[in-house]
Amino acid sequence: MRPNKIKQMWREKKTATMGWLSVGHSFTAEVMARQGGFDSLCVDLQHGTSEWNNVLSMLQAISQTDVTPFVRVNWNNPNDIMRALDLGAYGIIVPLINNAKEAAAAVAACRFPPVGFRSNGPIRAAQYGGADYVANANDEIVVMAMIETKEGLANLDAICATPGLDAVYIGPADLSFALGMPPRGDNPDPLHMATCDKILAAAHKAGIKCVMHCASGAFAGGALKRGFDMVMVTSDVSCMIAGVKKEMAELKAKSA
C-alpha cells in the first residue's frame, strides 16, 4: 500500500504542514498541491463550498503530487467517513467530538474489521493506495478528532485515550465559543493559548499527536515551536484574499 506520508513523518519525529481547501474545485486543489511546502491538503466538507460531487476530482488532483489527501467530514457520520475513505482520503478529520464514545465511533468507521466496522469497498482508494490497500489501510489511515466544545474539553483525557485515535485537532474558532469568546483564528488570548497547550499536553500524555488549525504562517510557526505535531497553515480562500489585497495596495502605492 502507498505509505501515508504524514504517519511516516510522525514516526520520524518530524512536524507536518497542512493546507485547507474551502473552494470546491479540482483546479484550486491542484494549484495548492503544486506550490510546494504542504505535506497534506484537506478538503473541507463542513464549512467549505465542496459537495460530494467535487470530492473525487479534488482528491485526484491532489494525488498528482506527493501531498497527502485529507477530508474533513461535516459530522461524525460513518457513511460520510467511509465514503471519503473509499474515494481515496488518507486522513479523516471529524468535527465536534464531545466524548470518548464519539471518538471511538469515528475510529471504528475508519477501520476495517475486526478493528472497526468500515465496510469493504475502496472503489478508488485501492487504485490510489494499491492492491494491498484493504490489508494495510488500518495502519495507514489517519483519524483525527476535533476538540472544540465545552464537553470535549471536559472529556479531553478520555478522548485522547481512545484506542486507534491518531491525533486531536484544535478548531480555534469553536474553541473560542467554548471559552466564552468571539470566534477567531490565531487567537492570542492567554486563556485560549493556555487551553490549546492543555490539549497539546493531554494528547502527548496519551501518546497521540496534536494538530493546530492556524490562519497564518507566523502563528503556525509559533505553534510548531510550542510543540504541535502538525499545523494547518493557510487556505485557498485566504491566499486569494491576501494576494488581491497585496496587488491592489501596490497598485494604489505606485499610481498615487
Side-chain angles (χ1 to χ4, degrees):
M1 179 178 171
R2 179 195 297 260
N4 190 319
K5 178 180 178 179
I6 302 305
K7 281 210 165 182
Q8 283 185 315
M9 293 180 72
W10 284 345
R11 283 192 290 266
E12 295 168 3
K13 310 299 182 183
K14 296 178 180 178
T15 56
T17 59
M18 175 180 282
W20 206 252
L21 300 176
S22 297
V23 177
H25 201 284
S26 60
F27 181 59
T28 309
E30 182 180 14
V31 169
M32 290 284 283
R34 290 193 178 280
Q35 299 316 300
F38 292 125
D39 299 308
S40 62
L41 282 170
C42 182
V43 178
D44 185 11
L45 284 170
Q46 185 186 19
H47 294 305
T49 64
S50 294
E51 301 290 345
W52 277 110
N53 60 358
N54 306 127
V55 176
L56 174 59
S57 61
M58 293 176 74
L59 295 179
Q60 288 173 320
I62 297 168
S63 299
Q64 296 179 56
T65 71
D66 66 351
V67 176
T68 303
F70 275 67
V71 170
R72 177 168 74 171
V73 293
N74 65 352
W75 196 251
N76 192 6
N77 181 330
N79 295 330
D80 290 345
I81 291 172
M82 292 183 207
R83 188 176 184 186
L85 290 172
D86 286 348
L87 290 177
Y90 255 42
I92 297 292
I93 302 174
V94 185
L96 301 167
I97 294 295
N98 292 308
N99 52 57
K101 181 178 180 180
E102 292 179 2
V107 171
C110 291
R111 309 291 188 229
F112 290 118
V115 179
F117 58 79
R118 180 183 172 190
S119 178
N120 181 39
I123 184 66
R124 175 179 175 265
Q127 301 301 315
Y128 172 66
D132 58 347
Y133 177 89
V134 173
N136 295 288
N138 284 355
D139 295 325
E140 293 295 335
I141 298 301
V142 171
V143 55
M144 301 184 184
M146 291 193 72
I147 304 296
E148 50 190 347
T149 66
K150 287 183 178 180
E151 188 177 351
L153 288 173
N155 294 308
L156 177 60
D157 289 337
I159 292 171
C160 291
T162 302
L165 187 68
D166 294 295
V168 288
Y169 189 107
I170 297 176
D174 283 336
L175 182 62
S176 295
F177 273 141
L179 298 174
M181 306 173 188
R184 61 171 294 181
D186 293 359
N187 195 333
D189 183 277
L191 175 59
H192 195 283
M193 296 281 281
T195 303
C196 291
D197 288 341
K198 177 183 177 181
I199 296 170
L200 172 65
H204 285 178
K205 181 180 179 181
I208 65 173
K209 305 300 183 181
C210 192
V211 184
M212 185 71 195
H213 188 98
C214 304
S216 68
F219 196 87
L224 290 178
K225 288 182 178 179
R226 287 158 60 200
F228 285 88
D229 305 287
M230 185 180 197
V231 287
M232 197 299 291
V233 182
T234 189
S235 72
D236 46 11
V237 172
S238 295
C239 290
M240 188 185 305
I241 292 171
V244 171
K245 287 184 175 180
K246 176 179 178 293
E247 297 304 328
M248 294 306 296
E250 289 183 359
L251 170 65
K252 291 178 181 177
K254 295 295 184 181
S255 60

